[in-house]
Amino acid sequence: MKEDRRFPHRHESLLQFLKTKTALVLFIVLTYVFGYFTAYYTHQPPHVPPSTPPVLKTVKATKPRGCLVDSFRVTTRCGGDLVPPESIRQTVIDKIFNGTSPYVDFPPPHAGKFLRSKRIKGWGSYGAVFENLIRQVKPRTIVEVGSFLGASAIHMANLTRRLGLEETQILCVDDFRGWPGFRDRFKDMAVVNGDVLLLYQFMQNVVSSDLTGSILPVPFSTGSALEKLCEWGVTADLVEIDAGHDFNSAWADINRAVRILRPGGVLFGHDYFTAADNRGVRRAVNLFAEINRLKVKTDGQHWVIDSVNVI
């Protein structure tokens, strides 16, 4: 009877203990320990008897396809039907100027009063390379990538006339916007509502030189213009690269320009020797020549790659 009286007292004490924080912590620890040992014994990997070593097979290595720079090349294929040289001028006028020469009714009233009769400026625009290549190639079509105010284009047009190449057409690809800060060096160039009027001054220089029948502006970025000329089937015998002088710009212009070059044509450009030397134009030219197994020649400050045939 004495033991029976103690039992309810012990039962109540146990219930009170189970309600304490100590009991809760103890329960959590025991649960963790139980779970740990259960996982250990149930997830032991089965014993695997040693097996014979695997037989190694020799696999013939294959050479990587192409060159690491292949993905950086511009591989646009030009239109199937090439425009004959005698039709290139009208084709460009039709495609860009809605069938009317941009020199008709030039200059427009809003710009005429800001233009100088002749404002020609360039860099390396009168080098011997121009006459040397025109004599060599006798081009029917010349594409100049980067024209600014038209100094080299006008010089080439005068050379073709003097050498009896009266039908030669020169297409001048340039957005005619200059570059940020260029007016620090050309303070006399007017600005009308944000337009620096480079295109109109270029055209005025062509008009004043009486060369409107030989020179046409293609007033777009070099990338978009070269892509469209290629798409339209417009090709050239001689292409000059003289736009952006950083590596990326020169590389893109060279790879796009070569697509519109007729087989056996000549690609050339300015600024091969500059203070930056092998960081910009020169680096792009050398890389292009190396991966296409072509030879770079120099003529003054110009680089020349002739007999170009890139697949």
Side-chain angles (χ1 to χ4, degrees):
M1 294 294 294
K2 198 171 186 179
E3 293 296 327
D4 292 339
R5 289 174 186 158
R6 289 178 183 175
F7 181 77
H9 177 70
R10 290 180 180 178
H11 182 67
E12 292 174 1
S13 299
L14 179 62
L15 290 176
Q16 290 178 358
F17 173 75
L18 291 176
K19 294 179 181 179
T20 64
K21 292 183 179 180
T22 303
L24 177 62
V25 172
L26 183 62
F27 176 76
I28 293 173
V29 171
L30 290 174
T31 303
Y32 174 80
V33 171
F34 177 76
Y36 175 80
F37 283 105
T38 302
Y40 177 80
Y41 285 106
T42 57
H43 290 84
Q44 283 292 308
H47 177 70
V48 180
S51 59
T52 57
V55 178
L56 299 179
K57 295 182 180 181
T58 303
V59 179
K60 186 177 180 181
T62 58
K63 294 182 179 179
R65 295 182 179 180
C67 176
L68 291 177
V69 296
D70 281 350
S71 55
F72 295 97
R73 288 193 182 105
V74 177
T75 56
T76 306
R77 293 292 181 260
C78 295
D81 297 327
L82 300 183
V83 179
E86 62 273 13
S87 301
I88 284 179
R89 179 182 177 85
Q90 191 58 50
T91 297
V92 172
I93 290 175
D94 291 342
K95 296 286 188 179
I96 297 178
F97 302 108
N98 200 27
T100 302
S101 169
Y103 298 108
V104 173
D105 297 327
F106 180 85
H110 77 279
K113 62 181 179 180
F114 297 105
L115 304 178
R116 295 171 61 176
S117 175
K118 188 177 286 188
R119 174 66 165 95
I120 299 176
K121 171 64 180 175
W123 297 267
S125 302
Y126 305 99
V129 65
F130 295 101
E131 183 169 354
N132 294 339
L133 291 180
I134 289 173
R135 285 184 178 276
Q136 171 190 330
V137 179
K138 297 178 175 54
R140 294 286 302 276
T141 306
I142 300 172
V143 171
E144 180 180 59
V145 181
S147 297
F148 196 46
L149 290 169
S152 55
I154 290 171
H155 178 56
M156 286 190 287
N158 285 325
L159 285 172
T160 57
R161 287 191 174 185
R162 181 160 61 84
L163 296 173
L165 303 171
E166 300 287 343
E167 302 301 319
T168 300
Q169 290 295 310
I170 303 175
L171 306 180
C172 295
V173 176
D174 199 306
D175 62 7
F176 295 101
R177 298 293 304 164
W179 58 91
F182 93 97
R183 290 190 71 255
D184 293 342
R185 299 176 62 180
F186 297 88
K187 298 183 185 298
D188 60 319
M189 297 292 296
V191 177
V192 179
N193 295 111
D195 185 358
V196 293
L197 302 181
L198 271 177
L199 173 60
Y200 292 143
Q201 187 59 64
F202 167 90
M203 294 174 65
Q204 180 61 49
N205 293 338
V206 174
V207 170
S208 298
S209 302
D210 193 25
L211 292 170
T212 58
S214 301
I215 299 175
L216 273 178
V218 181
F220 301 97
S221 67
T222 60
S224 61
L226 290 172
E227 181 180 350
K228 280 301 178 182
L229 291 177
C230 182
E231 180 182 315
W232 297 335
V234 173
T235 56
D237 307 292
L238 196 60
V239 178
E240 180 193 8
I241 307 295
D242 193 16
H245 296 155
D246 62 285
F247 171 81
N248 290 328
S249 297
W251 174 259
D253 289 344
I254 292 169
N255 278 275
R256 285 190 173 101
V258 76
R259 299 298 164 190
I260 66 167
L261 196 65
R262 291 199 184 100
V266 174
L267 199 63
F268 76 111
H270 192 225
D271 296 292
Y272 189 72
F273 300 105
T274 64
D277 209 21
N278 202 33
R279 298 179 186 174
V281 174
R282 182 175 171 182
R283 180 181 166 209
V285 172
N286 288 349
L287 180 60
F288 174 80
E290 181 179 354
I291 66 177
N292 290 291
R293 296 182 177 84
L294 299 169
K295 184 178 179 181
V296 180
K297 301 177 182 178
T298 58
D299 191 332
Q301 289 189 333
H302 286 76
W303 56 271
V304 179
I305 301 179
D306 56 16
S307 300
V308 178
N309 188 12
V310 177
I311 298 176

